[in-house]
Each structure stands twice: as C-alpha cells, then as structure tokens.
Amino acid sequence: MLAPRGGAANQHSPAPLRARFARNKLAVAGLVVVALFFLFCFLGPVLYSTDQVHTDLTQVNLPPNGSHWLGTDAVGHDELGRLMYGGKVSLLVGLAAGVLATVIGTLWGAVAGYAGGWVDAVMMRVVDAGIAIPALFILLVVSAITTPGVTGLIVILGLVSWLVPSRLVRAETLTLKGRDYVLTLRAIGGSHSRAVTRHILPNSVSTIVVAATFQVADAILLVAYVSYLGLGVQPPSTDWGGMLSAGLTAAYSGRWWLIVPPGLAIILVVCAFNAIGDGLRDAFDVRGRG
C-alpha cells in the first residue's frame, strides 16, 4: 500500500502555470530580457569576435565608432566584446551561486522543519546567526584573504546566500508535514527520508523555484558589489561589476561608454529576474482562484 501524493503538487501542472505566468506581462518581459542577455553573452562572441586578453595601446579610450560599436577601454579592449565577456561571467556566477544557495537552503530548511523540536531550534539559530552578519561583509573579508576565481566566487556566494531560502522552505515544511498524505505515509511505516523527498520537497516546489529566481538576482548584485570594489575575478577575466569599477574614473572625463552599458546591463538583468520571480510567485499561488 502506498501513501497518496499530496494534492498540492497537482495544482502546479505545467499548462495552468504557463497560462497564469503569461498573464503577467512584466514577468514575460523579464523572461524575454533574460533570454536576450543569455544570447547576447554566449552567442554574441561567436558573431562579434574580439580579443579580450591582449592589450592594444594604439586603440585606447576610443569613442563608439564603426569598428568598435561601444568604443574601447583604457587598455584597448573592445567594450562591446568586454560587455559580452563580462556578462558571461556575471550570469554564470549568478545562476550557479543562486542554484547552489537554493539547494543548500532547501535541504537545511526541510530537515529543520520536518525534524522539529531541539533539532529545528539549533538549526534555525544557526540561520539566525548567519543572517545577522551581512553577506557583503563576509564576501569582503574572504576576498581580502584570498583571490577567488569564478568557481571560488560561486562557492562563496552559495555559502553566504542559502539562509533566506532555508527559512522559506522550513516554513513550508512545517505546514506540509501535518498533511494527511504525510501522516498516512508515516502511519504505514514509511521512512522520514521518503516523507521528505517524495512529499515535502515536491509540494514545496513553488517556494523553491521562486526563491531560486530571487537568489540568482541577489547573487548577480553581490558579484557586482565585490567586483566593483576590486575584489572579484581578476584580469584578464572580468564581469559587469569589474567593468563599472574600471570605468568609474573615466566617466568623469566624458567616456560614458565605459560605465553606462555595464550599469544598464546589471539593472536590466536584476530587474528581469525579480520580475520573473514575482510572476512565478503569482502563478504558483492558487489561493483564491476558482
């Protein structure tokens, strides 16, 4: 005899979700913006090939022209190519770190909420202590001690960003573990791990997906903060935050093309991911729907 799966999962079938998401025009626009930026950063370098490793001191600080559509920077790198190259790093780090943070937070929150009692109390005090320390402060301390590469940034961001998802998943788990299908499973001798993996987590998918979307946006911002302060990925690698830092002084000399494009890219991508998160939250929220 098998315990029935929770009914909440059936409310999240793809077709109704897509329809509800599509009604949110801002969320759809955000999805389009994110897709265009991924194409720009990953397909763009194939169509618009530039050298982002070697310097060319004969082409420094050129304004936008026919050869360099967004001009060049202080060492002769093509700014449009650099925007693609830096965007690839920002998007990869943001996406990977957001997923890592969500996975850690989901597992931590599900175990804490399902176990309850002193286990829950201890685990959530760890979360409370972590939230009390600003993530940016931790990043600055770690970056000052070591020079992280792309992989290092992903791991560091994931390890400082899982706290909020863990609280959200814990709250959802506290609600779900009292449902009939979980109680039925336990009554017929089902294991705790089966209850979590087959019922708690599948029925928390809405919370997990929405949290992951916002975590990606937060991770992209954190990468930009750290790189802006010169503590992110090191040259010749770069990201949008590093481009902002490199172009800040040049902006006072009228070389706007060194700071406006990466700044707009960060704003657009972060706003787009937040819009997608809002749209997913509304699509998953079936309360009050007939």
Side-chain angles (χ1 to χ4, degrees):
M1 179 178 178
L2 297 175
R5 282 186 181 275
N10 297 327
Q11 297 171 344
H12 301 329
S13 55
L17 277 176
R18 285 195 297 267
R20 291 195 293 268
F21 183 84
R23 286 198 291 267
N24 190 323
K25 303 305 180 185
L26 189 60
V28 173
L31 187 61
V32 171
V33 168
V34 169
L36 289 176
F37 266 102
F38 269 93
L39 289 174
F40 172 75
C41 295
F42 290 89
L43 182 61
V46 178
L47 304 176
Y48 187 82
S49 180
T50 60
D51 185 355
Q52 296 298 321
V53 176
H54 302 95
T55 61
D56 185 355
L57 299 182
T58 65
Q59 300 290 314
V60 299
N61 296 325
L62 295 179
N65 55 65
S67 300
H68 303 283
W69 294 0
L70 284 180
T72 62
D73 63 12
V75 293
H77 291 145
D78 182 273
E79 190 70 3
L80 179 57
R82 200 127 185 99
L83 192 66
M84 298 174 185
Y85 187 71
K88 185 185 298 186
V89 174
S90 292
L91 291 174
L92 276 176
V93 172
L95 188 62
V99 171
L100 177 60
T102 304
V103 170
I104 296 173
T106 296
L107 295 176
W108 189 277
V111 170
Y114 185 79
W118 68 267
V119 175
D120 179 35
V122 171
M123 293 180 72
M124 295 318 294
R125 294 301 76 76
V126 173
V127 172
D128 292 340
I131 290 178
I133 304 173
L136 184 57
F137 174 76
I138 298 175
L139 286 172
L140 292 177
V141 171
V142 173
S143 297
I145 296 172
T146 183
T147 303
V150 172
T151 303
L153 270 180
I154 292 172
V155 173
I156 293 169
L157 286 171
L159 292 177
V160 301
S161 303
W162 61 271
L163 303 168
V164 172
S166 71
R167 294 179 69 95
L168 296 174
V169 174
R170 171 187 176 267
E172 189 75 10
T173 302
L174 289 174
T175 301
L176 292 172
K177 74 175 185 178
R179 299 287 175 86
D180 290 341
Y181 47 86
V182 177
L183 297 177
T184 301
L185 175 67
R186 295 297 301 134
I188 62 176
S191 65
H192 294 300
S193 61
R194 183 178 176 84
V196 172
T197 58
R198 296 295 298 276
H199 296 285
I200 300 296
L201 292 181
N203 287 297
S204 302
V205 64
S206 59
T207 300
I208 295 169
V209 171
V210 174
T213 307
F214 288 120
Q215 285 303 123
V216 172
D218 290 344
I220 291 173
L221 274 180
L222 284 173
V223 172
Y225 294 155
V226 174
S227 297
Y228 179 79
L229 296 174
L231 299 174
V233 293
Q234 300 302 305
S237 296
T238 191
D239 56 64
W240 288 334
M243 293 178 67
L244 279 177
S245 179
L248 182 61
T249 56
Y252 294 111
S253 302
R255 294 192 286 273
W256 57 268
W257 60 89
L258 298 180
I259 193 168
V260 171
L264 284 177
I266 294 171
I267 293 171
L268 287 174
V269 169
V270 171
C271 289
F273 271 110
N274 284 330
I276 293 171
D278 287 336
L280 288 171
R281 182 178 56 201
D282 293 343
F284 278 115
D285 184 7
V286 297
R287 289 174 299 181
R289 299 182 188 273

